[in-house]
Every structure is written in structure tokens, then in C-alpha cells.
Amino acid sequence: MEFKEKKREGLIVYLYHLRNSRQLRKFGTIHYVSRKMKYVVLYINTENEAEIVKRLQSLHFVKKVDVSLRPQLKTKFADELGVRYKLTDEDREKYKTGRKAV
């Protein structure tokens, strides 16, 4: 049997009351619960995303559901700008002598 990685998507589910947060377990994995702001971060499989979001919005204790924008963000900033970290002369001397920079 071969292991296949499944794509996951993050959902932010805002609730009226936190006592209903345990019921969200059947939709996916609960990652975080904010008591102060009354929201739950929930991870689900992307293949069922549209169906699960629709079902969550229909629940009476859910205020609103937001899909995480993290997969759409660019995370390779240095490569795009062409900027690389360059050692100074002082740093090169420290590494040549075997001393680590403090």
C-alpha cells in the first residue's frame, strides 16, 4: 500500500458560541480555537472543499466561513528580487579562522 499525500485547505470558521466548536470535528481537523474572537481554524481536504464550505455555512451556529489565502501567497521573496545574502569581509575572516560569529 502506497502513501499518497492529500492536499489540505485551511478554513476559518466564525462561531456564535464556542460550545459548538466540537461539532466541527466531523468536517476536518481542528488546528486552533480562539476563545476571545470565537473562531476555529479547520483543515480539510481540498477535493471536498466546496461541499464542506456550503455545509458549514448552513449550520445555525456558524456566523461565517473564510477560506485561507495562504496557498495563493508567494513565499519565495529572495528569488524573485534577485537578492542574496552576502558575507562582509569581517564575516569571511571569522569563518576562515574557525570562529563563529556572535
Side-chain angles (χ1 to χ4, degrees):
M1 189 163 129
E2 189 175 322
F3 175 75
K4 293 185 181 180
E5 183 178 347
K6 294 183 179 180
K7 299 273 186 177
R8 305 282 280 170
E9 186 73 33
L11 296 179
I12 296 93
V13 183
Y14 293 92
L15 306 172
Y16 289 106
H17 302 286
L18 285 178
R19 65 178 174 243
N20 303 108
S21 64
R22 297 179 106 198
Q23 294 178 16
L24 299 176
R25 286 189 206 162
K26 63 183 174 185
F27 296 102
T29 305
I30 294 177
H31 179 70
Y32 178 74
V33 177
S34 172
R35 291 188 173 131
K36 183 178 180 181
M37 297 179 66
K38 295 183 184 176
Y39 71 87
V40 175
V41 178
L42 184 72
Y43 282 98
I44 61 169
N45 294 335
T46 55
E47 58 198 30
N48 304 334
E49 178 186 354
E51 177 187 329
I52 291 175
V53 169
K54 190 181 271 188
R55 286 178 59 197
L56 284 171
Q57 289 173 340
S58 68
L59 296 174
H60 70 280
F61 57 86
V62 174
K63 196 180 293 186
K64 79 175 185 180
V65 178
D66 288 338
V67 179
S68 174
L69 300 176
R70 187 169 185 201
Q72 299 164 2
L73 294 175
K74 297 178 184 176
T75 55
K76 296 182 181 179
F77 304 110
D79 295 341
E80 291 180 11
L81 298 175
V83 179
R84 288 188 172 168
Y85 176 72
K86 295 182 181 178
L87 292 175
T88 62
D89 294 334
E90 184 179 328
D91 289 337
R92 282 191 207 108
E93 288 177 20
K94 287 180 182 176
Y95 285 114
K96 283 181 185 177
T97 60
R99 278 189 356 217
K100 290 187 179 179
V102 178

